[in-house]
Amino acid sequence: MKTVKHVVFTPLEATGMRGLTGDRGDPGEKGERGQPGECAVAPKSAFSVKLSQGQTSPLNVGDAVRFDTILINEQGDYNSETGRFTCKVPGVYYFAVHATVYRASLQFDLMKNGHAVASYFQFYGNWPKPASLSGGSLLHLIPGDQVWVQMALSEYNGFYSSTKTDSSFTGFLVYSDWKNSAVFA
């Protein structure tokens, strides 16, 4: 058994030497169960779509291009009927458009909530083979934000797709922006 030295002092006395450490006490009672924690699984959002062969692209300025062949869209954030991606997870996303240009020049905008965030143009000079036009942008989104590809000029509607070449639209979450979670900070 260890001996414990007790030092008693009054405010006028100097502090004495520290005593020996005592024996460990008995364990306490088990506490109540805590609140459920957050899931440590990172949020996901990704899609990749393309134009089907022979699809007629929209001819009117302001129309969303409806990429109708889904390659991946596991979270269902892209709607092939409207041609729009709708954000569910806040954060930074990367969007890319790869267009095959054939039989007409092409001009389109990458749109976020009705505002052009990037514009792309490819002149078609009567070449015997298709040309390509690609671009991408990083965008910060919050839930409910929408992103889509929109025709900029009706006479520049040269989106093309065939068995040998595609026009595609892809987007994915780079990192989430969950503010109230240590897991996703």
Side-chain angles (χ1 to χ4, degrees):
M1 177 177 242
K2 295 181 184 177
T3 305
V4 178
K5 181 178 179 182
H6 294 278
V7 177
V8 178
F9 64 93
T10 61
L12 299 175
E13 295 178 357
T15 303
M17 293 180 17
R18 183 178 176 93
L20 300 173
T21 303
D23 293 333
R24 184 178 182 106
D26 294 329
E29 293 181 25
K30 186 174 180 176
E32 293 181 26
R33 185 178 180 98
Q35 295 292 324
E38 293 186 47
C39 178
V41 175
K44 299 176 186 178
S45 180
F47 74 93
S48 189
V49 293
K50 67 180 187 174
L51 293 177
S52 61
Q53 295 177 37
Q55 180 197 11
T56 303
S57 59
L59 302 177
N60 299 317
V61 173
D63 283 351
V65 178
R66 291 183 305 275
F67 296 87
D68 60 332
T69 301
I70 294 175
L71 303 173
I72 187 168
N73 189 27
E74 292 176 358
Q75 294 75 34
D77 297 341
Y78 176 81
N79 182 329
S80 60
E81 291 182 21
T82 65
R84 294 178 184 222
F85 167 86
T86 302
C87 174
K88 294 177 188 168
V89 177
V92 173
Y93 288 77
Y94 181 73
F95 293 93
V97 182
H98 302 285
T100 299
V101 181
Y102 191 49
R103 298 187 184 125
S105 296
L106 176 61
Q107 185 167 358
F108 63 86
D109 297 324
L110 183 63
M111 304 294 292
K112 175 186 171 185
N113 297 335
H115 302 284
V117 294
S119 296
Y120 304 93
F121 176 76
Q122 173 66 52
F123 177 74
Y124 177 69
N126 249 350
W127 304 303
K129 295 187 179 186
S132 63
L133 172 60
S134 296
S137 293
L138 281 169
L139 299 176
H140 184 267
L141 303 178
I142 60 173
D145 281 348
Q146 291 190 328
V147 177
W148 66 94
V149 176
Q150 179 172 293
M151 297 306 297
L153 292 173
S154 58
E155 63 269 22
Y156 296 149
N157 60 1
F159 269 110
Y160 181 75
S161 187
S162 72
T163 57
K164 300 286 185 184
T165 185
D166 291 307
S167 291
S168 64
F169 179 34
T170 298
F172 57 88
L173 177 65
V174 176
Y175 62 86
S176 68
D177 196 23
W178 293 110
K179 300 280 189 218
N180 299 325
S181 170
V183 175
F184 304 121

